Every structure is written in structure tokens, then in C-alpha cells.
Amino acid sequence: MGSVDLRHAEKIYNDNTKAVDDVSLSIPEGEFVVFVGPSGCGKSTLLRLIAGLEELSQGEILINGVRANKLAPQARNVAMVFQNYALYPHMTVRKNLAFPLRMSHLPKNEIDRKVARTASLLGLNELLERRPKQLSGGQRQRVAMGRAIVREPAVFLMDEPLSNLDAKLRTQIRGEIALLQRRLNVTTIYVTHDQAEAMTLGDRVVVMHAGKIQQAAPPQEIFENPANTFVAKFIGNPGMNCLPATLRRDGDGAYTVDISGQPLGLKQDILIRYPRLDELIDIPVLVGIRPEAFKLETDQSALYGLTGEVVSVEFLGHETLVYFKLPPPSREPLGLSSEKGDISTYQRPSDENIAARLYKRHSLRVGDPIILGVDTDKLYFFHANGIALDRQ
Amino acid sequence: MGAHHLKTESRAAWVMVTPALLGLTLFLTLPFFLAVILSFTNLKLGSPLPVQFVGFDQFKRIFADPSFLRALANNAIFAVVVVPLQTVFALCLALVINRPLRGMTLFRTLFFMPVVFPFALIAVVWILIYAPGPNGMMNAALEVLSVGAWEARDFLHDPRSAFPAIMLMSIWQGVGFQMVIFLAGLQAIPSELYEAASVDGATKWRQFLHITLPQLRNTIIFVILVTTILAFRLFDQIQIMTHGGPNDATTTVIFEAVRSAFERQQVGRGAAMTTVFFLFVLFVTFLQRQIVKQEREIE
Amino acid sequence: MNIYRNVIAYLLLGAVSLIYIAPILFMFVGSFKPDENVLLEAGSWKAFFPESVSLQNFFDVFSRVNFSLFMFNSLFITLSIVALGLVVNGLAGYAFARLRWRGRNSIFALIIALMIIPFEAIAVPLFYQMTYLGWRDTYIVQIVPFIVNAFSIYLFYTFFIGLPKELEEAARIDGAGSMRTFFQIIVPNSKPVFATVAILTFLTHWGSFLWPLMVTSGEDVRPLPVAIAQFQTLPPLQWGDIMAFGVMLVAPILVIFLLFQGWFIRGVAATGIKG
């Protein structure tokens, strides 16, 4: 038993900042949900609201279908793993694990049994008589997990539990957490700022920004069908390039997308994937290109490509990240009339550099001109306000 | 607001603060207001006469009482002499002890030791040190130092030397306390400041003037405040060593207040004296806050 | 140049040390000397080097006055104030620093304001209050008014406000209430502030003189500082006995001081934060 429902949850702090803004989300029992977003997006506040460490300003929280707004943390039957683990420094590992059980007044033999079981589950048997100070970072993390598990709570809450570990250990324990969650099948809500962690761990990923849920979907869905440009840019490393562009259709019904004066022809089957593409004709849009959708054209006569200038090159061994910028448009875009659209945001070359992931050998250097082919099947379309165009 | 757990938290908070609030109300706030109220009455313990509101009479009377005026003057002299001497002495000791040399903690311990001694004990020992005749330790020491020119005297019974003797002893006792506060202040000064200054070619003396003193400013103001207030709280030494004598030469405000309230049972009069004392403390504290505030605004 | 400076530093400190050692050594040495020699030899080097060592003065103290009673009184009174004060002031400091409740900030501002009232300013009316209650000549009159201390609350407050919040949040989620969190999680991790407050309280009240002088008249509840002042005026005037009394008065605190002097010094330095 461990479902969590948020209904129009809102948290406003005394200084009138809205940390969580009208969040509704249903988490069924057993699901592993990851809240991800940049710092200050409200993900930790949301977790603390569920834990009962903060109090809702508006809306409702239901745990197991029971309204929990006014329940004290201990009454919510949730356990939390803190970023700094928050192990009690003056207690041994055994006492740390036993503390939540003592608080629920379990008989002593019951406590001993549960502590022993948790300890062997997490491989803590050798460490039971040590104090937190005598443990390594990974061991502390495991004890913090243990203290959450030992209570057999309805919901696990984890607030960036891996951020204090080095990269290698992080990957290892990430795997352990995923395995453990599957084994115990306890509803888990996990907060991180690391999109890779979110994508690998979550049954469902909740991307947050400015206190709002941007998208809540399984990792693959998040990657393949980002709901808006924020999600598109946030997921992936580097994220999707979102460039201002204009979509045009000529007399023959052929579609072209014009990015900063450089036209890319689209194949006819684009309408199958984007049946409502016609709505975007001749108005400002954003075109999304994943760095993986570029390929380096050795052949100068490439049909559809972008020409630009290399800004930086990051050689990563098996691949290279190339950042480039487009030259300003050399001519007035065709079909533009001044009463259409907002001129000021229209067709401006992007301030951000465009990232491309290349696998071929090359000898690019900063300042070099570059021509990159674009796989136009992998283009994304967004309204000027950032919302993704409906896709089949 | 209004969540269940906030209510329990609020209830817990009240359980936690209630004993403290009760104590502060009964044994600090109540007597404080009582002090002001009593100072406007003629309350006398064991007196058959009814208690009367006498307005400012008590204040008029104490300010016409030569003993009280002498007490005020003595406290003022004590403050004017002891505060600067003790502060400068403590600062010098702190500067020397702050040097990274062997054995400095030993000296620190030694100079701090009198702070942990009860004042009553120190006063008793110093009575003996100030013993009259050439056999007294202070007399003998002064005789050696002056190469025989010193004439032995009875320090505590001589109106000219009784109060200076008490001041000297008070400095001896109190220096360690201020030294430790100065040391803490010195250690809080970032060493980069000195490194930068010495790179800039500042001599030790200039470093002291332009880094140590300004950085220590608030500590110095605090120490001066505490010592000034201490100067007006002067009581234990007086009670034990001279009992205010000879001829009120060493009397103090608190000594007069206690004598009025305790020995003569004149509670109203004693309260008036402590009220004067409190107003002074308030004034000094206010002055310190103002100086510190000005400093912060300049920064 | 540097060596020259260091030599001067040592010379200066050495000279000052003599001034500091002399009275203390004088007392210790005097306590082992025959009574009449104490004053007689005060002006010579013999003040610091006894020719013979005897414990007679210590026996004399015990036979002339009820020293054990005074010692018990002082210990009982001071330790009661310290122990009760740690609990009461610690709890209050915690509630002000960490719990959310209506009125917290305004009440705390009042407590800060109360810090400037020196004890001497209220001694007379408090004396009157205690007389009215009939508490004179009791332990209670020497303990109860001093348990709560605004400055102690302030010291606890500044310490607790600097603690990270995670431990308390973990405890709350684990099901501990505010009281239990304080006693089982906060207290074990706040030893420095408890040591500081305990030491400052102990120092203040072990040497307390004015108040016990006012409220005690008999010997039953008389503490050591008043007792030594009285003893010093008790005929016949025997300086050896007085010095022995002094040594026994200061010995416990001196031992504690030498063992934990780091804490003492940190504790006193903590009062400097007030500015």
C-alpha cells in the first residue's frame, strides 16, 4: 500500500515566492518516480511537502487515498533519505537503524530482528557497532538507506541521495537502489538534478521548472516526445537544440523549414507524424534538433544541411561534441510580411551555440567553417511559446 | 498555518519556554519593576509606619547624602582609572601571548587563573598582601623596588591609599578575562590581511595600527563596556576589605544600596540607588550600541 | 630581529608572571605554615618557601568552623543551578531557535532586552520579595532565582540556530516529537554549548557573594565565599587557617579548571560574542 496523490498542490513561502505551483500528480503503488529539474525548480520542496516537513499552502496530498495535509511526518508512514544522510552522529549504525522502530514502540526482539534483516539486506552486518564518523561515504549512504528501509514504509522519499558521492560510486549505488526498489516494490519518489540519474532510475520521470510540472512520463517518452522546449533542452547531454525558424509550403505542397536563412527541405511523410503542421506555416516556430541528428558532410553538395562556424570542440574519445553558430541571415526571409508575427523574436539567429554529436573522424578547429547534414526525420516542432506541436 | 503537526510543535514550544518565562518574570522582570516602584516609596522593613508614595524624595535624599555622592565619585574614579589601564594591559598581554611561541598557553592559563577564583577569596588574600608595616608583602616589595625610599603604610586603613589598593587588586583579578576575549578577537582576524600588508611593505607597528586595531574595534568597545559596568557593580572587595571605609573613602553605589536595604532595612532608599545604577548601565550600553552601529554604517 | 623580539616577549611575560604567581603561591605556601609565620614572613622570600610543612592549619579550619557544611552548601547550590539551568535554558533556547510558534520573535526580543539588567539592579527588590515569601536562609532562595538566565538562553539560541536542520527532520520523519528530538538528538550533538554554559554558570555562582550575604544569616545554608569572609573576621586572627580555608575553597575549581581549561577559555571568550 503506498500510492501518493497530489491535487493542485501549491507552496507559497512568506516572501511570496511560489516554490510549488499547482502540481497535480498521481503516483500508483510500487512506482519509482523521479523528480528532476534545475536547482530551485521546486522538486525538493515538493518532496518535503509529501514528507510533511513543509506544509501545503493550497491543494491536497493523499497518501494511500487518505488526505495527509495535516498529518505529522511520522503519521504518513513515509521514510526519507537525505542528501547529507542525516545519520545521528552520536549513535552507532545499529542504533541509527533502530531509532525509527523505537519511536513506533516496537518490542525489543522485533526491533532486533528487523535491524538484523535490514543490515544483511544492505551488507551492513560488519558495520553495526560503528559510528557514522567511522564510515566511508558509500557506507553512510547505505546506512541512510537502511534507516529508511527498516521501517517498511509505504513510500520512500530520496532527496539527492547520491550527490555526495564520487562519480564511480554514484553509478554503482544507483544500480543498487534500482535493484533494491524492484525487490521491495515500495513506492519511491526520488529527487535529483541529474537528468542521467533520472532517466536510468525512474519508471516515470517528472521534469519540473519554476514550480510547475513540465512533463511526467516514462524516460523514453520524455526523450522522444518532449512536451516543450524546456524538457527538450533539459533532457539529453547536451540537450536538444531549439532554434527559431519559419515553416513554409511552396506551390507544389513541399515543406521547407528556414533556420536563420538556411532552408531545410522536409520529406512528404512529415504530415503523417505532424498532421497539424499546416497550422504553423509562416509564423514563428521553434525547431528542435538533437545533437545526434547532425552528421558531418564531407561532401559539399549535401542536400539539407546547416552551415556555420565552429565555436568549440570537445573531443570525448568515441565521439566529439562540436558547438557551432549560424551566421546572421543574409536576406529577408521569403514570404515575411510585417503584420505577421512578432518581428522582434522572428528569425533571430540563436544566441546559444548549436551542439552536434559527431562520430566520424574530423579535424575541426575553432573558427573553421562547418557544414552539417541534418536528418530531417528527426526534427521536432514547437510553437513559439515552447509547447510541442502534436505528434502522432 | 494550523496544521496538526504545527499545533503539536507550538504546544511543545510553549512547554519548553514556560519554565524559562516563569523564572524571568518572577525573578527578573518583577523585581525590576519593583525596583522602580519601590524607589518612589519610603518602604522600610519592620517599620510600623504605613508605606507611602513619596515621589522623587528618595532620589532627592540620596543625591543630598554625602556618602552616596562619594560612592558615585568613587565608582567614576574606578571606571576612569581601571577601565583604560586594564584594557590596555589586557590588550598588550593578548598581543604578546598571541605570538606563535612555546609556552604561551602556560602564560595564558596563569593570567586567567584569578578569573576562576571567587572574589571573596582574592580579597581575603590581598588583605594580607596589603598588611601594614615593613613585613607586609606589598610594603616590602615597594621598599625593594624604591631602594629603601618607601615608607611602610597601612594601605587599607589609609584614606589616600585604600581605594587605589582596591583598584590595583581589581586590575590584577580582571585582566585575564579581557585578555581571553581579546585573544579570541585577535584569532578571528584573517591572516591574509597581515600577509597582504607585509607584501605591501607595512611594518609591524603599521600593521597593528591599520589592521589589528580596526579589526578589533568592536571587541575593544565590548570590553570597555563590560569593564565600565563592572566598575559600577563594585561590591565584594569593598565589603570584605574595607567595608566602605575609612570615612567612606572606598564606598560604592552598590555598597551603599546594600547597606541601606540590608543593614538599615531602608528598602525604598536602596531601590532608588540601584535604579540610579541601572540608568547608568543603560546609558553606557546605549552608548556602546550607538558607537558600534555608527561603525557598521560607515562600513 | 625576531629573536630579539621573542626574548623581550618572554622577559615581559616572565615579569608579569611573577605578579600573578606571587599572591597564589603566597596563599598555598601560607596554608602549610604556622599561623604567626604567615604574616611575619610575608615581606621576605620565605613567603614562598616554607621552612616546615604542616597540615595543622587544615585541621584547625575543620575544628573551628563547619567547613564540610559550607563546602556541601556551595556544591549543592552551584551544581543545582548549573544542572537545572542547563535543562531550562537549553529547552528555551531550542524553542526559540528551532520551533515555529506564534509570539516567538517578540518574546525573544524581550529576553535579549532583559540581558542588560545586571543582578545588582534588582538585588534590593528581590531581597524584599524573598523576605516577603519567607524564603530567607534557605537553599531555595539561593538556587531558584538563578536557574533561568537570559544570557544562557541567548548562548543556547546562537548555537542551535547554527546546527544543520537535517538531523531534526530525519528525527521527525522517524517519528520523534519535539521533546524527544531535543533530548535524544540535539543534546548529544551539542556538547560544546552545554559545556560553555555550565562553566560560565558555575564560575558565576561558585564565587557568588553579595546575594548569599544578604539572604543568609545562619550557618546552615551559608556558602563558601560568605564563609571565608566571616572566617577572616573570626577571632583569633590566624592567617595560616585563613589561607588553608582559601586553598580548600579554590582547590576543586582549580582542579576542574586545569583539566578543562580549554573549555573555560572558550566559554569566557563566548561572552564576547554578545557585542
Side-chain angles (χ1 to χ4, degrees):
Chain A
M1 287 291 282
S3 67
V4 176
D5 285 276
L6 297 162
R7 292 183 187 160
H8 303 289
E10 210 162 287
K11 175 68 186 175
I12 303 168
Y13 284 112
N14 291 338
D15 56 347
N16 267 332
T17 48
K18 255 189 197 177
V20 170
D21 190 356
D22 192 20
V23 165
S24 294
L25 186 69
S26 240
I27 303 170
E29 195 195 329
E31 192 178 33
F32 196 133
V33 174
V34 181
F35 293 167
V36 68
S39 61
C41 71
K43 57 188 190 297
S44 284
T45 310
L46 196 53
L47 192 77
R48 293 165 61 82
L49 285 170
I50 297 169
L53 292 173
E54 305 268 353
E55 202 199 335
L56 274 180
S57 310
Q58 292 286 330
E60 276 195 310
I61 291 180
L62 287 82
I63 295 177
N64 287 332
V66 179
R67 190 177 144 97
N69 285 37
K70 312 244 160 180
L71 286 184
Q74 61 263 42
R76 299 184 181 205
N77 198 17
V78 297
M80 187 155 165
V81 178
F82 289 81
Q83 183 170 0
N84 302 319
Y85 317 134
L87 300 179
Y88 307 124
H90 57 294
M91 297 183 190
T92 59
V93 169
R94 184 191 297 284
K95 286 192 172 149
N96 264 283
L97 293 179
F99 189 76
L101 302 175
R102 283 205 294 135
M103 292 304 108
S104 29
H105 305 289
L106 288 185
K108 195 178 176 310
N109 56 347
E110 183 89 343
I111 293 178
D112 291 345
R113 198 174 53 78
K114 290 190 175 193
V115 168
R117 204 179 53 192
T118 308
S120 52
L121 180 70
L122 290 167
L124 295 171
N125 285 324
E126 312 292 307
L127 309 174
L128 280 174
E129 304 312 322
R130 292 207 201 156
R131 297 202 176 197
K133 253 187 207 157
Q134 300 163 296
L135 301 178
S136 71
Q139 289 169 332
R140 282 180 207 179
Q141 211 286 330
R142 223 165 271 164
V143 177
M145 295 285 301
R147 197 175 58 186
I149 290 170
V150 76
R151 288 173 61 185
E152 299 165 24
V155 183
F156 284 141
L157 306 173
M158 306 193 185
D159 190 1
E160 308 237 8
L162 303 182
S163 61
N164 282 348
L165 301 175
D166 63 52
K168 202 177 154 197
L169 208 53
R170 201 169 351 185
T171 319
Q172 184 200 327
I173 295 187
R174 191 166 77 189
E176 287 174 18
I177 289 178
L179 220 66
L180 204 61
Q181 200 270 339
R182 241 146 245 146
R183 223 170 115 184
L184 301 170
N185 199 30
V186 175
T187 315
T188 302
I189 304 176
Y190 186 108
V191 162
T192 180
H193 63 272
D194 180 346
Q195 54 98 18
E197 216 168 282
M199 300 296 272
T200 48
L201 278 175
D203 294 332
R204 194 150 53 120
V205 174
V206 177
V207 182
M208 292 193 65
H209 174 56
K212 286 184 154 63
I213 292 184
Q214 303 295 318
Q215 189 171 7
Q220 190 168 353
E221 173 77 6
I222 292 265
F223 185 80
E224 289 178 352
N225 281 321
N228 55 41
T229 49
F230 179 83
V231 177
K233 287 182 193 170
F234 189 78
I235 301 296
N237 186 23
M240 190 185 282
N241 303 292
C242 294
L243 310 169
T246 331
L247 200 62
R248 270 188 281 277
R249 188 177 56 189
D250 64 15
D252 308 332
Y255 291 91
T256 333
V257 60
D258 188 312
I259 299 168
S260 197
Q262 305 192 38
L264 298 175
L266 302 180
K267 293 180 188 153
Q268 278 304 321
D269 63 359
I270 188 85
L271 277 179
I272 298 171
R273 279 181 291 125
Y274 288 104
R276 299 171 68 183
L277 196 65
D278 285 342
E279 290 171 16
L280 298 183
I281 299 296
D282 290 341
I283 60 170
V285 295
L286 294 161
V287 165
I289 312 173
R290 288 249 174 238
E292 297 78 23
F294 289 106
K295 57 181 185 287
L296 191 63
E297 294 294 336
T298 40
D299 179 1
Q300 294 289 322
S301 64
L303 196 54
Y304 301 123
L306 290 176
T307 307
E309 183 190 322
V310 175
V311 176
S312 76
V313 180
E314 290 174 5
F315 178 66
L316 298 173
H318 61 289
E319 62 184 34
T320 309
L321 293 177
V322 174
Y323 296 87
F324 65 102
K325 65 178 182 199
L326 301 177
S330 51
R331 57 190 159 83
E332 260 315 275
L334 292 169
L336 174 73
S337 55
S338 54
E339 67 267 24
K340 253 189 196 169
D342 180 7
I343 299 291
S344 63
T345 61
Y346 191 55
Q347 284 285 0
R348 234 172 353 134
S350 168
D351 311 330
E352 296 162 47
N353 298 317
I354 304 168
R357 191 188 301 276
L358 306 177
Y359 298 99
K360 271 191 195 167
R361 286 180 63 91
H362 62 83
S363 55
L364 289 169
R365 283 195 299 185
V366 174
D368 285 351
I370 186 174
I371 302 171
L372 287 169
V374 177
D375 182 349
T376 52
D377 290 343
K378 291 184 181 163
L379 292 186
Y380 290 82
F381 295 95
F382 301 91
H383 295 277
N385 61 7
I387 305 292
L389 183 66
D390 288 347
R391 210 172 125 124
Q392 283 310 123
Chain B
M1 285 293 150
H4 176 68
H5 70 262
L6 265 194
K7 265 188 203 147
T8 52
E9 190 171 320
S10 177
R11 202 178 315 134
W14 279 106
V15 172
M16 286 177 174
V17 295
T18 301
L21 294 184
L22 213 64
L24 288 174
T25 311
L26 290 179
F27 304 116
L28 191 56
T29 320
L30 180 64
F32 175 71
F33 286 110
L34 212 55
V36 180
I37 295 167
L38 289 179
S39 65
F40 291 107
T41 69
N42 62 354
L43 178 65
K44 197 171 171 187
L45 285 184
S47 162
L49 298 170
V51 179
Q52 274 182 331
F53 180 79
V54 295
F56 284 94
D57 274 11
Q58 293 287 16
F59 291 96
K60 279 180 206 154
R61 255 179 256 163
I62 61 172
F63 279 107
D65 172 8
S67 290
F68 184 73
L69 293 177
R70 185 64 201 261
L72 269 179
N74 277 342
N75 280 125
I77 292 169
F78 191 93
V80 168
V81 175
V82 170
V83 173
L85 275 180
Q86 196 175 331
T87 307
V88 171
F89 188 34
L91 183 57
C92 290
L93 285 182
L95 284 169
V96 177
I97 283 184
N98 198 35
R99 295 171 76 89
L101 293 178
R102 262 169 184 281
M104 286 304 150
T105 41
L106 198 73
F107 288 115
R108 189 188 65 181
T109 306
L110 184 62
F111 301 153
F112 186 75
M113 217 181 318
V115 178
V116 306
F117 278 53
F119 235 125
L121 171 62
I122 289 177
V124 168
V125 173
W126 278 69
I127 290 177
L128 191 49
I129 290 173
Y130 285 136
N135 277 338
M137 184 181 282
M138 186 58 75
N139 276 323
L142 288 173
E143 195 184 336
V144 171
L145 287 178
S146 66
V147 206
W150 176 262
E151 266 179 55
R153 62 167 67 200
D154 187 353
F155 287 97
L156 295 174
H157 293 99
D158 183 333
R160 283 168 304 159
S161 58
F163 204 54
I166 283 175
M167 290 196 275
L168 180 70
M169 186 204 79
S170 304
I171 293 175
W172 179 85
Q173 191 271 345
V175 141
F177 178 81
Q178 289 156 319
M179 179 194 71
V180 162
I181 291 176
F182 277 134
L183 270 174
L186 283 173
Q187 271 146 24
I189 302 176
S191 57
E192 294 87 45
L193 289 181
Y194 291 105
E195 286 160 11
S198 61
V199 169
D200 291 343
T203 59
K204 290 272 176 203
W205 172 244
R206 297 204 137 256
Q207 286 178 25
F208 173 73
L209 279 186
H210 297 290
I211 295 169
T212 311
L213 276 187
Q215 289 282 323
L216 226 48
R217 195 193 136 113
N218 282 352
T219 311
I220 294 173
I221 293 169
F222 170 75
V223 162
I224 289 176
L225 166 85
V226 171
T227 326
T228 311
I229 291 175
L230 235 54
F232 275 78
R233 294 170 69 173
L234 198 58
F235 174 79
D236 295 4
Q237 303 94 303
I238 308 298
Q239 169 72 25
I240 294 172
M241 296 173 83
T242 62
H243 219 79
N247 293 326
D248 287 341
T250 60
T251 192
T252 65
V253 172
I254 299 300
F255 184 78
E256 287 296 320
V258 170
R259 187 145 71 169
S260 298
F262 178 64
E263 287 176 14
R264 303 186 195 130
Q265 315 283 321
Q266 296 168 329
V267 172
R269 187 185 169 93
M273 292 179 180
T274 53
T275 303
V276 171
F277 160 73
F278 176 71
L279 288 176
F280 176 78
V281 168
L282 203 62
F283 172 73
V284 175
T285 310
F286 178 76
L287 210 66
Q288 183 240 10
R289 295 270 155 89
Q290 286 303 307
I291 296 170
V292 172
K293 207 161 97 192
Q294 263 175 20
E295 167 74 3
R296 291 202 175 124
E297 274 161 12
I298 291 165
E299 283 167 358
Chain C
M1 185 63 186
N2 229 336
I3 289 173
Y4 176 70
R5 273 210 173 111
N6 291 347
V7 168
I8 291 197
Y10 278 121
L11 283 178
L12 189 79
L13 291 176
V16 178
S17 297
L18 287 182
I19 302 173
Y20 273 79
I21 292 170
I24 297 170
L25 196 62
F26 181 40
M27 175 183 79
F28 276 93
V29 170
S31 69
F32 298 108
K33 280 200 238 178
D35 286 307
E36 56 279 10
N37 289 13
V38 177
L39 189 55
L40 215 61
E41 299 169 352
S44 75
W45 57 269
K46 284 182 186 162
F48 308 110
F49 300 97
E51 282 173 333
S52 60
V53 172
S54 134
L55 293 177
Q56 189 54 45
N57 294 328
F58 293 89
F59 296 125
D60 286 352
V61 171
F62 281 99
S63 64
R64 289 175 66 193
V65 290
N66 196 345
F67 182 85
S68 326
L69 176 67
F70 302 146
M71 179 58 94
F72 170 79
N73 291 345
S74 262
L75 280 173
F76 179 69
I77 292 164
T78 313
L79 293 179
S80 301
I81 296 173
V82 170
L84 295 169
L86 287 182
V87 177
V88 172
N89 298 314
L91 277 170
Y94 181 71
F96 284 115
R98 284 307 242 253
L99 300 185
R100 289 165 293 179
W101 46 288
R102 199 179 282 275
R104 176 182 72 171
N105 293 345
S106 34
I107 294 177
F108 188 64
L110 276 177
I111 289 183
I112 295 291
L114 288 178
M115 270 172 27
I116 55 168
I117 304 178
F119 174 71
E120 288 81 352
I122 58 159
V124 171
L126 195 63
F127 168 70
Y128 176 65
Q129 248 177 287
M130 295 299 118
T131 308
Y132 183 81
L133 288 172
W135 281 8
R136 278 167 72 175
D137 274 311
T138 59
Y139 286 124
I140 293 178
V141 75
Q142 297 180 75
I143 296 170
V144 173
F146 305 102
I147 293 170
V148 186
N149 182 288
F151 185 57
S152 299
I153 295 175
Y154 174 76
L155 284 177
F156 277 118
Y157 171 87
T158 49
F159 182 88
F160 291 141
I161 203 113
L163 282 181
K165 283 208 170 112
E166 279 88 357
L167 284 187
E168 284 150 287
E169 291 179 340
R172 266 173 76 191
I173 287 184
D174 285 347
S178 301
M179 273 292 175
R180 192 188 287 272
T181 304
F182 177 74
F183 283 109
Q184 295 195 359
I185 305 297
I186 298 298
V187 173
N189 290 298
S190 305
K191 284 176 194 137
V193 72
F194 281 94
T196 300
V197 173
I199 283 165
L200 287 177
T201 313
F202 188 88
L203 276 183
T204 312
H205 293 287
W206 183 257
S208 175
F209 179 70
L210 168 62
W211 183 248
L213 184 72
M214 289 171 84
V215 295
T216 65
S217 43
E219 290 194 354
D220 291 351
V221 294
R222 182 184 290 165
L224 285 170
V226 176
I228 195 175
Q230 228 95 28
F231 187 67
Q232 182 250 325
T233 59
L234 184 75
L237 185 63
Q238 293 184 328
W239 279 108
D241 295 358
I242 295 170
M243 294 295 116
F245 194 117
V247 167
M248 290 192 285
L249 185 162
V250 82
I253 197 170
L254 213 54
V255 170
I256 300 171
F257 168 66
L258 292 174
L259 286 177
F260 301 103
Q261 59 155 313
W263 287 107
F264 273 72
I265 283 166
R266 248 168 287 165
V268 167
T271 61
I273 309 166
K274 201 174 157 187

